[in-house]
Amino acid sequence: MNNAVSGFSKLSKEEKINWIAKKYFSTPEEAVFLLKNYWNGDEKIQKLHDEFIENTITNFYIPLGVAPNFLINDKYTTIPMAIEESSVVAAASKAAKFWSTRGGFKATVINTEKIGQVHFTFNGDVSKLNLFFAQTKSKFFSDTESITKNMQQRGGGILDIVLKDKTNLLPNYFQLHATFETKDSMGANFINSCLEQFAKTLKEASQEYELFTEANEEVKVVMSILSNYVPNCVVRAEVSCPVEELAEKHIPNPQEFAERFVQAVQIAEVEPFRAVTHNKGIMNGVDAVILATGNDFRAVEAGVHAYASRNGQYSSLSHAKIEDGIFTFWLDIPLAIGTVGGLTSLHPLVKFSLQMLENPSAPELMQIVAVAGLAQNFAALRSLTTTGIQEGHMKMHINNIINQFAANDEERHLIKNHFKNNTISHSAVVDFIENLRK
């Protein structure tokens, strides 16, 4: 079957839907009904969503939940979380409640530096290139004044530009490595605009440079782009309390729990197979808040995992210790995010989420996101080192299994009642449903 189509992007939304329904579904009317059933009833809001991306046919919903009782730097916060995975919001909320009576979370922004690079080649005399850069550096700043003017008024702008020799990695490969402060915006468009001007200045100035006299002494720009690896845009989130204060229902021996907890973190620090899953749990919390606040979770994920590998081996983002009877658990994470620009002023639920967070600055949002990640990690490690991860997860996941089998209200009541005191697994729930229906 030939499923190619010409001029698809020029079709109306209705025409796109009808083409897909007729081409791929045996009952096209059902496919059309499903897609239209997920449209927003408000035409204005739906048009807004349609224009976020290209070739839109409907909306793909992800639940927006909230995790209350987060005491962050002595202030209570209710955190919005957009995620489809069961138990994540519940686990975050449970961790928030646990630490709210033990001093809460402390968060500190360590730095907010962003990075962008102009990648180019030069196969001439490197000493001439260094001299050219030293003499031209000020021009990179002056040529971007029209771009940086507004950002500078907000306290941001270009921090520095350095020439990097990368010829040990690739023949003739060099970089203009620039650092930026973008205040409350994530800054991607700002950074890329500056970089493209740097590239233009680099090309034009090099062509006029009197010392580049040899035929091979030519600067050739390959590309200009920001980096999503931001090892100097880092926030720390931390919790601590005396070991004995860790005691609760599932922690009858707090000293033993604390020691096992620290061991679990140490395993993630040295064992990449464990570290990946360990950090995935952190990102359950991080991504959910990133998504709810209209930020780019793909960029954050890429940067975070690069940071986790910065010492040559993939390792845990979080750390734990017991010192002088004090249990401390902390997380350092790079977060290049914003509270202005992008979807933050367009998506109604993003605006709602930011308002619920009391309209934080970008550094304040960095702190909230890091805390959500640490809370998620704490909840997971507490479960792993006490009751096991599946007990809490399956309690939350049972609704998905019930819905999968379209259980009616009576069946739902009987299923939930039965599994109050019985071990929950997918197969056990399925068996119980099948026996109910015999």
PDB file of all heavy atoms in Angstrom, residues 27 124 221 233 245 342 371:
ATOM      1  N   THR A  27     -12.728   1.579  10.125  1.00  0.00           N
ATOM      2  CA  THR A  27     -13.952   2.346  10.423  1.00  0.00           C
ATOM      3  C   THR A  27     -13.558   3.819  10.590  1.00  0.00           C
ATOM      4  O   THR A  27     -13.360   4.299  11.716  1.00  0.00           O
ATOM      5  CB  THR A  27     -14.637   1.825  11.710  1.00  0.00           C
ATOM      6  OG1 THR A  27     -13.656   1.775  12.770  1.00  0.00           O
ATOM      7  CG2 THR A  27     -15.210   0.432  11.487  1.00  0.00           C
ATOM      8  N   GLY A 124      44.989  27.247   9.132  1.00  0.00           N
ATOM      9  CA  GLY A 124      46.194  28.062   8.988  1.00  0.00           C
ATOM     10  C   GLY A 124      47.012  28.094  10.266  1.00  0.00           C
ATOM     11  O   GLY A 124      46.953  27.180  11.097  1.00  0.00           O
ATOM     12  N   VAL A 221      32.717  28.765   8.808  1.00  0.00           N
ATOM     13  CA  VAL A 221      31.723  28.482   9.857  1.00  0.00           C
ATOM     14  C   VAL A 221      30.931  27.233   9.490  1.00  0.00           C
ATOM     15  O   VAL A 221      30.423  27.114   8.374  1.00  0.00           O
ATOM     16  CB  VAL A 221      30.774  29.677  10.053  1.00  0.00           C
ATOM     17  CG1 VAL A 221      29.661  29.321  11.033  1.00  0.00           C
ATOM     18  CG2 VAL A 221      31.560  30.898  10.537  1.00  0.00           C
ATOM     19  N   CYS A 233      24.877  26.040  35.238  1.00  0.00           N
ATOM     20  CA  CYS A 233      23.523  26.557  35.510  1.00  0.00           C
ATOM     21  C   CYS A 233      22.854  25.524  36.418  1.00  0.00           C
ATOM     22  O   CYS A 233      21.997  24.751  36.001  1.00  0.00           O
ATOM     23  CB  CYS A 233      22.758  26.737  34.207  1.00  0.00           C
ATOM     24  SG  CYS A 233      21.150  27.543  34.404  1.00  0.00           S
ATOM     25  N   GLU A 245      15.042  11.341  64.009  1.00  0.00           N
ATOM     26  CA  GLU A 245      13.801  11.969  63.555  1.00  0.00           C
ATOM     27  C   GLU A 245      13.250  11.348  62.272  1.00  0.00           C
ATOM     28  O   GLU A 245      12.151  11.693  61.829  1.00  0.00           O
ATOM     29  CB  GLU A 245      14.009  13.471  63.355  1.00  0.00           C
ATOM     30  CG  GLU A 245      14.200  14.232  64.660  1.00  0.00           C
ATOM     31  CD  GLU A 245      14.330  15.732  64.455  1.00  0.00           C
ATOM     32  OE1 GLU A 245      14.014  16.224  63.349  1.00  0.00           O
ATOM     33  OE2 GLU A 245      14.755  16.422  65.412  1.00  0.00           O
ATOM     34  N   GLY A 342       8.333  31.703  25.246  1.00  0.00           N
ATOM     35  CA  GLY A 342       7.859  30.367  24.891  1.00  0.00           C
ATOM     36  C   GLY A 342       6.388  30.184  25.197  1.00  0.00           C
ATOM     37  O   GLY A 342       5.561  31.074  24.955  1.00  0.00           O
ATOM     38  N   VAL A 371      13.652  20.505  43.885  1.00  0.00           N
ATOM     39  CA  VAL A 371      13.014  19.927  45.073  1.00  0.00           C
ATOM     40  C   VAL A 371      12.067  18.793  44.681  1.00  0.00           C
ATOM     41  O   VAL A 371      12.029  17.745  45.335  1.00  0.00           O
ATOM     42  CB  VAL A 371      12.279  21.021  45.874  1.00  0.00           C
ATOM     43  CG1 VAL A 371      11.277  20.416  46.854  1.00  0.00           C
ATOM     44  CG2 VAL A 371      13.281  21.897  46.613  1.00  0.00           C
TER      45      VAL A 371
END
